[in-house]
Amino acid sequence: ELHALAENKRGAHLMLSLERLQRRVGSELVRIGLSATAAPLPLLAEFLVGQGRPCEIVEARMERRRRVEVLSPLRRDPYPPAGYTAQRVMQDIAQIIERNRNVIVFCNTRSSTESIAIRLKTALPELAGKIEAHHASLDRDVRLEVEDRLKQGDLRAVVCSTSLELGVDIGSVDCVVMISTPKGISRALQRIGRSGHSIHTESHGILVATNVNDLMECIVCAEMTRNVQLDAVKPLEKPLDVLAQHLVGMAMEGGFTREDLLKTVRRAFAFRDLAEAELERVLNYLEGGGRSLEKQYRESFGKVMWLDDRLALPSRKVERDYLANVGVIHTEGMVSVILGKRRLGQIEEGFLKRLKLEDIFVLAGRTVRLVETGVAEVKVENAAGKLPTVPAWNANKMPLASGLAREVALLRSELARRLEKEEPCETTDWLVERYEISQTNAEAILRHCRNQLRVSRIPTDDTFLIERFVDDREGSDANLVHFFFHSLIGRSANDALSRIISHRLKEAVGGNTMVTIDDYGFLLTVKSFQDLELEAWKELFQTGDAASDMHAALEQSELVKWNFRGVAQTGLMVPRNRPGREQRLKSLRWNAEILFRVLCQHEPDHPMLVQAYRESTHTFLDLPRAMAFLERAPSLAWHLVNVPVVSPFSFGIFASKIKEGMMLEDPEEAIERLWREFERKTCGPVPASSDA
């Protein structure tokens, strides 16, 4: 399944393993790769077989029938409380479950999986025992039990995150419901493909839009899914921790010269452009730990040596440690949750630290109360019917794929153009025909756009809209200014871009900023002394040395340190296991913490630290896409608009800020209040804008 391997370390690890196997057996191995949801095929073929080898590409066109629908609870009232809250969505999904024999409901995060499972059980009390949650943080026995019950037809609905997308035999499912889009067409096709496995049946997928901004994304995603418009895969490039692990394995095989190493490694697609200097730095690390460690700790960190110009192991102990730690899945900070005598699942240590005894949270679709804590496990009791606190799972919100983000930006641009030249009824008809949606939903989108125009502009693909908002409500901090940047480049890229800009702002005028991101832009909440005019913002968005600014912004971040823990384990710097026993998580974290500090101070170019930064900026953040935006920014038409209230197109970002930071006000009530404020204030004149 090439789409499950091409973009991650598992793929790089497997392909380098195949090259080592190829060298041992001599003759060419036959490799067969499959994918129904990845493109382009020539790139995937090269990833599979390596450079310079022949590969036959067979593209089958016997596709199953596929039906993709968009469901919206907006109806005649597209704004809060209907538009941004979950209750009416639950009623619609409950009706779908009642009409079908079995349904899979996909969510984009584990926390929303737990939340929606609880809400559906409440909405359908007579079916509560036949609705279950399924995600990777649950215990394996719990997951298998859910899968077996679904396959046997004993469940009416399973609410899951990504855990049922691939590789699980779940029998025949009538319908797949997706809460919001899965942020990419490949993932949408995978999810929809879980339904309609019986002969002569079609796959049926329903995209559920939870608000008006979400509706625009859903209709674009549905059209691209019908047309199978796939984003190009981005294979992982040169993971140095994977390389380090394989070099130890090659030393164990014996017989490798430097030339043999480079030749073998470069045959694997991920390492095709590996420079000799990069290989030498990794070998230097493996020989003694690197410049900062080899003088005092060579025996502790030394894993390879040269014997007659051939790579070899210094001891049998290294061989035993290697065999106990091979692989790329690293140990994370999870704590087991025990209900009665059963292991229910796991929660993160970071979440556990915020809990106190008697706190209530949700796991495996059950509401439980914390009653006892230990080193590696906690005990809970059943708290059905109580108000829960949903865990903040480690699985972040999935970022919007570049192709889908681009098409949404084009839709916004087309709507802005049509609203200037056409009658509303003509634009409504165009939306209905082009995107196969109801008249009601088309009218909701147009109303949304017209409301945006009442206070601001519609952000498009050839403009850069910045909105400045000062909250003048009684009790609000008058010293805070909110700047909404409508960059339309996806969550991961906006995350990177916002870090660069907030770092530059701090360098320019001082002070920290509060950052909130989503797929279509980001919000910087600044102090009044950081309040800038349009030309000053333009200077901060110049390309400059964005990579260095990103590096500087990450120096005080937990992101690089968190990534280093995984890199250090894969790269055999901090072994996960000792032969015959597993390392304690506390020991793993402490060892990684010490090494991280030493390398940051004394050897910032250490290959394992370089890899941690690379993963932070290219896997968790999307620095290349953010830099591409900075390069394009000077050619855009810039608009800084002072808005009297949060604009409709900024509402989703501000709602995220409320949900993440508000303690005393219920988020749903706060969102309703914001909309009432919008309606009250937009009766006045349209604010002035400064354009460039």
Side-chain angles (χ1 to χ4, degrees), residues 99-141:
R99 291 197 303 265
N100 291 276
R101 291 171 301 174
N102 38 35
V103 175
I104 297 180
V105 180
F106 280 104
C107 305
N108 289 343
T109 63
R110 298 177 194 176
S111 58
S112 59
T113 297
E114 293 285 2
S115 174
I116 287 173
I118 286 286
R119 288 176 183 253
L120 284 175
K121 288 184 176 185
T122 303
L124 296 168
E126 71 283 359
L127 295 177
K130 293 183 176 294
I131 299 172
E132 294 291 349
H134 187 289
H135 56 74
S137 289
L138 298 181
D139 188 70
R140 183 173 180 271
D141 289 342

Side-chain angles (χ1 to χ4, degrees), residues 6-237:
E7 299 181 311
N8 54 48
K9 288 184 183 180
R10 289 179 298 160
H13 178 62
L14 174 61
M15 295 310 159
L16 189 46
S17 297
L18 288 177
E19 294 303 336
R20 290 171 54 191
L21 181 61
Q22 179 99 46
R23 184 177 182 274
R24 290 184 70 86
V25 300
S27 58
E28 288 288 332
L29 298 173
V30 177
R31 312 181 191 192
I32 301 173
L34 305 171
S35 180
T37 58
L41 295 183
L43 178 63
L44 286 165
E46 192 175 351
F47 166 79
L48 175 66
V49 302
Q51 288 187 306
R53 292 194 182 101
C55 180
E56 183 177 357
I57 300 174
V58 179
E59 186 172 7
R61 279 297 176 191
M62 296 173 60
E63 295 183 355
R64 299 206 328 264
R65 289 178 297 156
R66 187 183 300 113
R67 178 158 54 107
V68 187
E69 297 178 292
V70 175
L71 171 67
S72 166
L74 305 179
R75 299 187 183 95
R76 298 188 181 279
D77 183 12
Y79 289 99
Y84 284 91
T85 62
Q87 194 54 44
R88 285 218 316 202
V89 180
M90 293 305 104
Q91 296 303 320
D92 285 285
I93 298 172
Q95 291 176 16
I96 293 171
I97 292 171
E98 287 179 318
R99 291 197 303 265
N100 291 276
R101 291 171 301 174
N102 38 35
V103 175
I104 297 180
V105 180
F106 280 104
C107 305
N108 289 343
T109 63
R110 298 177 194 176
S111 58
S112 59
T113 297
E114 293 285 2
S115 174
I116 287 173
I118 286 286
R119 288 176 183 253
L120 284 175
K121 288 184 176 185
T122 303
L124 296 168
E126 71 283 359
L127 295 177
K130 293 183 176 294
I131 299 172
E132 294 291 349
H134 187 289
H135 56 74
S137 289
L138 298 181
D139 188 70
R140 183 173 180 271
D141 289 342
V142 175
R143 296 199 308 271
L144 289 176
E145 180 182 319
V146 171
E147 292 164 19
D148 288 341
R149 291 182 64 192
L150 179 62
K151 188 175 180 180
Q152 294 164 10
D154 186 40
L155 291 179
R156 291 291 290 272
V158 174
V159 186
C160 66
S161 54
T162 61
S163 53
L164 290 180
E165 284 179 352
L166 296 170
V168 178
D169 182 10
I170 55 174
S172 179
V173 172
D174 293 342
C175 176
V176 166
V177 174
M178 291 166 277
I179 309 296
S180 300
T181 73
K183 304 300 179 181
I185 308 308
S186 295
R187 196 179 289 274
L189 288 167
Q190 290 163 13
R191 291 181 174 185
I192 294 169
R194 304 307 284 162
S195 67
H197 281 197
S198 300
I199 298 174
H200 305 308
T201 59
E202 65 181 359
S203 296
H204 183 200
I206 300 174
L207 288 160
V208 179
T210 57
N211 60 64
V212 191
N213 284 320
D214 196 24
L215 176 59
M216 296 173 71
E217 185 179 310
C218 281
I219 66 173
V220 171
C221 181
E223 184 190 47
M224 294 179 71
T225 302
R226 295 183 195 108
N227 298 332
V228 196
Q229 293 175 245
L230 300 173
D231 270 306
V233 297
K234 296 179 181 178
L236 188 65
E237 301 285 346

Side-chain angles (χ1 to χ4, degrees), residues 454-455 644 678-687:
R454 288 168 67 184
V455 295
F678 176 88
E679 287 188 315
R680 183 177 66 83
K681 286 191 174 182
T682 51
C683 294
V686 177

